[in-house]
Structures are given as structure tokens and as C-alpha cells.
Amino acid sequence: MAKVFPPKIVSANDLMDGDVVYLTAQNTWSRQITEAVIAPDEAAAEILLAKGEERQDLIVGAYLLDVAIGDDGAPSPTHFREKYRLNGPSIDYLAPQKQSFVAQSNTQTTLSEGA
Amino acid sequence: MYRYNDFDHEFVKSRTEEFRSQVARRIDGSLTEDEFKPLRLRNGLYLQLHAYMLRVAVPYGTLNSAQMQQLAYIAERWDKGYGHFTTRQNIQYNWPKLADIPDILDALAQVEMHAIQTSGNCIRNVTSDHFAGAAADEIEDPRPTAELLRQWSTDHPEFQYLPRKFKIAITGSPNDRAVTRAHDIGLRMVRNEAGEAGYEVMVGGGLGRTPMVGKTVRDFLPKADLLPYLEAILQVYNLHGRRDNKYKARIKILVHETGLDPLKADIEAAFQSIRKTFVHPKAELIAGLDAAFAPPEFNNTRSLAFEDAQAANPAFRAFVETNVAEHKNPAYGIVTISLKPVGGAPGDATAEQMRLVAELAELYGHDEIRVSHEQNLILPHVRQSDIPLVYQRLLEAGLATANIGLISDIIACPGMDYCALATARSIPIAQDIATHFEARGLEREIGHMKIKISGCINACGHHHVGHIGILGLERKGQELYQITLGGDGRENMAVGERAGPGFSADALMDALDRLINAYLTVREHDEEAFIDTYKRLGAAPFLAALYPEEADDARAA
Ligand code: HEM
Ligand code: SF4
């Protein structure tokens, strides 16, 4: 049986802030995966990747990733690494900050702002 | 503390200026990423999964309070309000923006800090004992030597294009708290028969995909010979180290492939020729370094505040038990501030927390702070009678977790929550373990335990030297965790042995539970630490606990 080609999209990181971005049908980069253009077969995937690599002044490291197509036609990544990339760190990384902010206002420390 | 001289200031300034123009040229499109990447890495700037990451060197883990204030300021001004302290005694910012990096580097330079040589195939930030200058068991403060090594290696023309990265660690105590045997070069201060201080030199240690224990090439090297001798090691490595294969390029592979004795002979030969013409640093420079790290003026007046507070407050007593270590001055203590709140991300500190630590160091700690490779912060010099006050302030800021050396004092690398190389997550595993054993109320009963977790084979989380090591891998599209047992990062370093097939994240906690239960059953007495029980009994009882089905099969057969 011929191997089924999983549909693919192109992703990269934004040059300026590193945000995860996806290549759109308009040849722009979007932070919304729902706007990503989908390559149904290998030939289309190669063309998409080449397009993605054109704008080196906007992004870093374009590459192809496998997606599944939902009932609404939107792509979603199949590999867990891409899921974490899409959704951000899986941990509540800002949580301790809020907690210590409360503690700080209780103790009324006044400190210089650094230089 | 060492202060920059004019040369250091000028050097850091010119590097920042140079990088500012490189960033500008990347942004305006005149540099491609292929051209820019090696430049940014030379300046500590990585790209992770969701953002850039800036790695800032904390040479030999020493900071003063003005520097800590500045780290807090940077976290708030240009990042998301926190930073991550790492096993290399560095701090990493997880969310800086490319255009802001030059300003961040300027802000660092104002307090004599930078991100140079935190990446690339050069001699990296020299790491050291986090109790340096304070430990009761110390022969000499290793930091003057560490600073000498920093000056000698920074921008040294011969050492900019080594076959691979090169890491040096140094400890001034016979008890190794700096995992020196896991470094390309490890230095451990010892005394010879005449009572003189010198170094045991170890070469070829390393973790990563091929973990190796550093081998001793000199039992005793007089202090004065250190630089020419290290230069000899690097010369041999530069000449013979493999450049054909990145995975075989570390000096540990050279040691392994050449054999210890021939390599020792090569080093000695190179040393004999180098020493003839070696220009030693001037005596004033050495004296200046010794003066820069002279101990603070201790205040030896004592009160009973320390003892009284312990008698009155069991929580404080518990804190002292785990987080306060013996100082060489009997009126003082070394206070470790745990960055492992149960359920938190190991090594993370918020800007507010950094400011508080800076303030406490200024008020009660002779302005000194240390970062440990175990991802905690240390106030190395606190008068015992001030420790109750320090504790109170830490408590209010959520920084008084009394768990140093216990099962929740876990090292974890950033893993797949941040790192582009990761094969699995590591921080949530650390959080689950800490939360689980806290909930079972077992932490103190289990006692001394080092769990270390890496999110891929690179072993940034030191899992090979964890009493229990956990390595996150991928199998069939799922995160899989492999357990190693019996690793030890001290002077008698041992690489942990792989227990068997890995566990899914869901099955891991039950497996660890069985492992810990087995340990509590078979240990000789309450004080016998897991690692000692393991050394006494070997792996068998622990493997039986981890893989009960196999044990049953064996019994049936
Ligand atoms: C962007 C994030 C990181 C990248 C790309 C990275 C990359 C690597 C690589 C490729 C190795 C293997 C080197 C070898 O075996 O030759 C390594 C080892 C290591 N890294 Fe990292 N690392 C990262 C973050 C960290 C962090 C956060 C820490 C500290 C917590 C750290 C500390 C170490 C240590 C201690 C080793 C093993 C020691 C050795 O070099 O043998 N790294 N890292
Ligand atoms: S061990 Fe792997 S996952 Fe963890 S920080 Fe290092 S490179 Fe990243």
C-alpha cells in the first residue's frame, strides 16, 4: 500500500520576537495556524517551503510540519512538539510572579529601579 | 569581588557595539540568518521554540546586589518579569526581542556583566563551588583562580576555534560541590605532603550523549604551573581533537580514544615546552585577584537570636536543617535560597524575588550572592543572628522553601517547554514529583536525594549524575522517560546506570513511588541516603520495584 502523504504546512519563527508563525496563502506570515496554507501533496509542499524561505528578512528557519485537517478545514499539528510550539509552554510560567507580587506589596519594600 | 579594569570595560563595550551593528544589519536584511547565527551565538543569543533566549554569564556563580538588581530590571523591562538560573550558573532570559538585545547587553555592561562565550566552541564560563569563599571545608577560595582563567581564556586567539565547546570547573574544597569530574577540565584543590595548596587536574569528563568521568592527569599541580599546564592540555586537544564529527569532538573522546597514559605523556611534553617560554601573569595581578576576593570583614558579635528562633519556631528549625550550611566563621552561616517552590519551575526567579535577594544580600550578606549549579541562590555570608530576619523576609516572598538536598530540590533543564532541541518536557515532571512527594508527606523521611531531569540526550539537566536521573525521550509520537540509578556528582563521581525500558509520563510517577517505597523498606536505618543504599545493595531491589512484572516472571521461571 502506498504511504499516505500527511498534509503539511510551513512554520518558522518571527525574526523580531521569535513568535511562532505560519505561511499563509497570501505568502505572508501569520501567528494564527488557522490561516496557514495547506500542502496536500509532496510537490505542493516543496513549492510552499521554497516560498517560505524567500523572506529571510522576516523569519528564521522555515520548515514543513505534518498536520491533520479538522472538520472545519483548519490544520492542527499532529506531533506533540508542534502542539507545544503552537500553544506556548505547557507550564504556568507566570504563576510565581503573581504570587510574589502580593508578598512584595505586603512587605512594602521600596527598592531602586536599577540603572 | 573582582571589579572590571579598563581593559575589561573596553572589551565588553566594543563587543556590545559590534553586536549592535550586527543586529541592525540582520534586521535591515543585509545579513542572512546563516551569516547572523554564529554571531548571535557568540553573544549568547539562541532561538528557542517560542522566542529568543539570552544566556548571561555569571562568572563562577558570583554576583553582588547591584548586579542582581540589574538582572531584575532586565527581566522586567525587556522580558516577562522572570529569569531562569541554570546548571551552568548562568541566567537565561526566555522572551527577549531581537531589537532589544543590544540595550540589554548595555545594561549588563553597566554592572560588569555580559553574555560572551556563553555559547560556541570556545572556553565557556568557568564554573565553581557555590560555597566558594565561605565553606568550612575549603582549602582556599577558588575564585581568584577562576577569574584568572576567565581573563586568560576570554578572547584568547588560540581558543576561539576549538573542535568543540570547552568547560572548566574548579573547586577549592576536597568535597566537590561543582561536579568537576563532569567537565572537560576539572580542578580540585588539594594539599601536598608539604602542606602546599595545589590542584588535582582531571580531564575528559562530560555528560551529553556519551557521559564520562574525568580522569586524573595530575594528582598535584602547583598553583603557579596552572596556566601553562592548561595551555598544554588545550594545545594537545586543539591538535588532536576530532573535528570530523561533532559528537566525537569533545576532549572526553580524545581521552577515551588515545588512552590515559599516552595522553598524559603528550600533555607533559607540551607542558615542558610551553613552560620554558610561558609569560606568567605579573605578581601584582595575582595579588590583585587575591585581594579582590578577600573575605569580607566579618562581624563576630553573637546573640542567641539564632538559637532562640530555632527553639521557638519548628518551621525555622526545619529551614536551618536543610538550607543553612556551615560557614568557616563560626558566627556565620551559608543560607541557600531554594528556587524550587513545590510545584514551581526549578531555577525560575521573578524580578521581585531577585530584588529581595539583592536587598537581603546588601543588608545582611556583605553584598554577596551566589548561583549554584543546582539552580538555587545563595547568601554565602550571613551572621547567624541575622538568619531569622532573613528567613522571615524570604517567607513573605515565597522563597523560604526548606528543601535543599531533598527530593523536591530537583534540577531540570528547560526541556520542551522552551528548548528547540528537546525530545520531551522536563519541568512538568519536576513539578509533579515535588508535588506528589510533598502530598505524601514523605520528603523529610526520604531525606537526602538528588533527582535530575534532562529533556534530551544533551544532558543539560545533569541526569547522568542524579541519584535518580530522568531522561525525556520520544517514542512513537509520545514523551517517554528513561530512569537511571546511582549517579553521583561528587568527588567520587559515578554515571547512573540505565534501569530499563522508559515510562510514559503517566506511568512515571507510580514507578517512582514504587522505587521510593522499596528504598524506604530496604535502607539500613533512617539516615542511610538513597545513594548509599544503592551503593550497598546494587540495583537489584530497585529494578524489581520499577519492573515488578519482570521480577514476577523471573521468580516463576
Ligand atoms: C537553548 C537551550 C540550550 C541548548 C541549545 C543547549 C545545547 C546543548 C548541547 C548541544 C549540549 C551537548 C554538548 C555535547 O555533548 O557536546 C549541551 C550540554 C549541556 N548543557 Fe546545554 N543547552 C541549552 C540549555 C542549557 C541549560 C538551560 C543548561 C543549564 C540548566 C545547560 C547546561 C548544559 C550542561 C550542564 C551540559 C552538559 C555538560 C557537557 O557539556 O558535557 N544547557 N547543551
Ligand atoms: S537537555 Fe536537551 S532539552 Fe534540556 S536544555 Fe539541554 S538541549 Fe534542551
Side-chain angles (χ1 to χ4, degrees):
Chain A
M1 203 177 83
K3 211 175 151 222
V4 184
F5 183 85
K8 294 190 197 306
I9 61 175
V10 177
S11 182
N13 291 85
D14 179 76
L15 173 67
M16 298 304 284
D17 55 19
D19 279 357
V20 175
V21 287
Y22 301 96
L23 187 68
T24 71
Q26 292 75 43
N27 237 355
T28 58
W29 291 95
S30 168
R31 283 163 177 73
Q32 306 304 322
I33 194 170
T34 47
E35 294 174 8
V37 54
I38 299 162
D41 56 47
E42 188 139 13
E46 267 172 38
I47 294 170
L48 268 195
L49 182 60
K51 280 195 179 139
E53 282 169 345
E54 272 165 21
R55 295 300 305 272
Q56 292 288 332
D57 56 334
L58 292 179
I59 53 96
V60 183
Y63 65 96
L64 290 162
L65 63 105
D66 293 354
V67 289
I69 311 297
D71 295 339
D72 55 356
S76 59
T78 51
H79 193 279
F80 63 87
R81 179 181 194 268
E82 290 302 330
K83 290 181 188 159
Y84 297 133
R85 250 183 111 244
L86 174 65
N87 297 319
S90 71
I91 50 176
D92 192 1
Y93 57 96
L94 295 176
Q97 194 178 358
K98 292 172 213 139
Q99 189 189 331
S100 78
F101 183 73
V102 177
Q104 166 116 28
S105 46
N106 286 344
T107 54
Q108 306 238 314
T109 33
T110 44
L111 284 162
S112 69
E113 274 294 298
Chain B
M1 165 138 201
Y2 176 76
R3 304 304 309 253
Y4 275 14
N5 57 29
D6 291 348
F7 173 82
D8 296 327
H9 274 295
E10 215 27 67
F11 173 71
V12 170
K13 209 173 128 222
S14 68
R15 276 290 291 264
T16 307
E17 286 308 304
E18 181 186 57
F19 192 53
R20 185 180 288 281
S21 82
Q22 289 161 346
V23 168
R25 281 186 286 142
R26 175 70 182 105
I27 292 174
D28 74 18
S30 39
L31 283 179
T32 65
E33 185 60 20
D34 285 348
E35 292 162 335
F36 182 62
K37 188 175 174 186
L39 303 175
R40 67 169 160 80
L41 288 176
R42 261 163 60 87
N43 289 283
L45 186 63
Y46 289 75
L47 185 65
Q48 304 203 107
L49 287 178
H50 314 102
Y52 287 98
M53 179 274 276
L54 182 68
R55 181 182 285 171
V56 176
V58 179
Y60 30 89
T62 294
L63 289 169
N64 61 29
S65 53
Q67 291 172 322
M68 188 62 109
Q69 292 279 5
Q70 192 77 335
L71 293 179
Y73 173 71
I74 290 169
E76 217 152 54
R77 168 92 198 268
W78 290 293
D79 206 276
K80 292 190 195 273
Y82 71 103
H84 178 73
F85 289 97
T86 80
T87 46
R88 299 266 321 137
Q89 297 179 310
N90 292 327
I91 178 170
Q92 297 187 173
Y93 291 107
N94 286 313
W95 307 95
K97 302 202 184 314
L98 180 59
D100 291 336
I101 301 296
D103 290 343
I104 299 177
L105 295 180
D106 273 343
L108 288 169
Q110 281 172 15
V111 291
E112 308 189 346
M113 294 182 76
H114 60 71
I116 298 165
Q117 288 185 206
T118 57
S119 172
N121 296 338
C122 55
I123 299 183
R124 301 289 189 88
N125 184 29
V126 176
T127 52
S128 180
D129 180 2
H130 44 271
F131 288 172
D137 60 2
E138 183 169 272
I139 295 172
E140 261 177 40
D141 190 338
R143 291 173 306 155
T145 308
E147 174 54 29
L148 183 68
L149 294 178
R150 186 190 71 79
Q151 296 191 8
W152 161 78
S153 66
T154 301
D155 229 27
H156 191 303
E158 262 186 69
F159 308 151
Q160 295 306 301
Y161 297 95
L162 295 169
R164 194 83 178 89
K165 57 169 100 164
F166 203 90
K167 298 178 177 176
I168 303 178
I170 178 167
T171 171
S173 299
N175 297 306
D176 185 358
R177 283 174 291 265
V179 211
T180 55
R181 276 196 197 275
H183 290 75
D184 297 279
I185 293 180
L187 299 168
R188 191 163 70 100
M189 195 165 257
V190 285
R191 284 190 195 285
N192 66 5
E193 277 156 17
E196 295 154 340
Y199 287 105
E200 177 187 355
V201 183
M202 298 157 270
V203 172
L207 302 171
R209 67 181 59 218
T210 326
M212 289 197 186
V213 178
K215 303 207 169 44
T216 301
V217 286
R218 264 289 187 116
D219 291 319
F220 182 85
L221 182 73
K223 276 176 75 181
D225 286 340
L226 187 63
L227 291 185
Y229 193 82
L230 295 195
E231 209 145 327
I233 296 175
L234 277 146
Q235 192 177 81
V236 169
Y237 173 52
N238 232 345
L239 271 177
H240 303 297
R242 289 180 60 167
R243 291 175 192 260
D244 58 324
N245 180 341
K246 179 173 157 183
Y247 300 121
K248 300 203 164 166
R250 295 290 288 269
I251 195 173
K252 62 189 174 188
I253 305 295
L254 181 67
V255 176
H256 186 70
E257 288 183 351
T258 314
L260 183 60
D261 287 328
L263 192 82
K264 257 186 181 158
D266 285 351
I267 295 171
E268 287 301 328
F271 173 57
Q272 295 309 336
S273 100
I274 289 172
R275 74 189 307 191
K276 282 188 212 129
T277 53
F278 192 80
V279 184
H280 282 276
K282 293 204 171 65
E284 300 97 82
L285 183 119
I286 301 289
L289 290 179
D290 286 340
F293 294 98
E297 264 183 48
F298 292 120
N299 171 348
N300 293 324
T301 54
R302 299 188 66 157
S303 70
L304 287 177
F306 185 57
E307 289 74 11
D308 289 349
Q310 288 185 72
N313 181 354
F316 178 65
R317 193 160 63 238
F319 177 83
V320 171
E321 239 173 59
T322 45
N323 296 41
V324 179
E326 200 187 344
H327 195 283
K328 60 180 158 197
N329 182 321
Y332 275 70
I334 303 172
V335 177
T336 301
I337 300 168
S338 171
L339 296 182
K340 322 286 174 65
V342 172
D348 277 8
T350 65
E352 290 86 350
Q353 291 174 331
M354 292 183 219
R355 288 210 174 93
L356 176 73
V357 172
E359 188 197 347
L360 293 176
E362 202 170 358
L363 287 175
Y364 306 111
H366 296 277
D367 210 34
E368 288 208 29
I369 303 160
R370 304 290 161 72
V371 181
S372 78
H373 80 269
E374 294 182 316
Q375 302 182 283
N376 293 311
L377 296 175
I378 285 121
L379 298 174
H381 310 296
V382 186
R383 204 157 59 107
Q384 283 183 355
S385 45
D386 289 335
I387 295 178
L389 297 168
V390 168
Y391 169 75
Q392 197 51 43
R393 295 291 305 279
L394 291 173
L395 194 62
E396 289 160 2
L399 278 175
T401 317
N403 64 347
I404 299 305
L406 302 181
I407 195 167
S408 60
D409 184 10
I410 297 170
I411 293 184
C413 79
M416 203 177 274
D417 288 299
Y418 296 99
C419 179
L421 302 178
T423 42
R425 292 173 302 161
S426 44
I427 295 170
I429 301 298
Q431 292 172 324
D432 283 356
I433 295 172
T435 310
H436 176 80
F437 287 101
E438 155 101 317
R440 279 190 68 193
L442 277 181
E443 192 163 57
R444 296 247 155 198
E445 197 183 331
I446 296 166
H448 185 65
M449 169 68 87
K450 294 198 187 282
I451 295 188
K452 305 187 198 253
I453 310 173
S454 305
C456 82
I457 192 78
N458 285 325
C460 303
H462 286 189
H463 67 274
H464 297 298
V465 291
H467 301 169
I468 298 175
I470 300 174
L471 166 61
L473 295 169
E474 173 191 348
R475 210 187 57 190
K476 296 190 184 140
Q478 297 232 320
E479 289 161 294
L480 184 86
Y481 295 92
Q482 209 170 66
I483 294 180
T484 51
L485 296 173
D488 194 340
R490 292 171 298 179
E491 56 280 3
N492 50 350
M493 175 178 155
V495 171
E497 284 170 54
R498 215 188 110 192
F503 297 90
S504 70
D506 288 342
L508 180 65
M509 203 54 59
D510 278 346
L512 289 175
D513 236 356
R514 294 194 299 275
L515 182 67
I516 295 297
N517 289 344
Y519 153 63
L520 292 175
T521 314
V522 299
R523 70 178 172 188
E524 209 158 39
H525 52 81
D526 291 356
E527 301 296 311
E528 190 181 50
F530 173 83
I531 185 69
D532 298 323
T533 308
Y534 182 89
K535 283 181 178 164
R536 181 169 59 82
L537 295 176
F542 304 108
L543 297 185
L546 283 175
Y547 304 102
E549 301 83 13
E550 281 170 36
D552 288 348
D553 290 350
R555 229 168 285 136

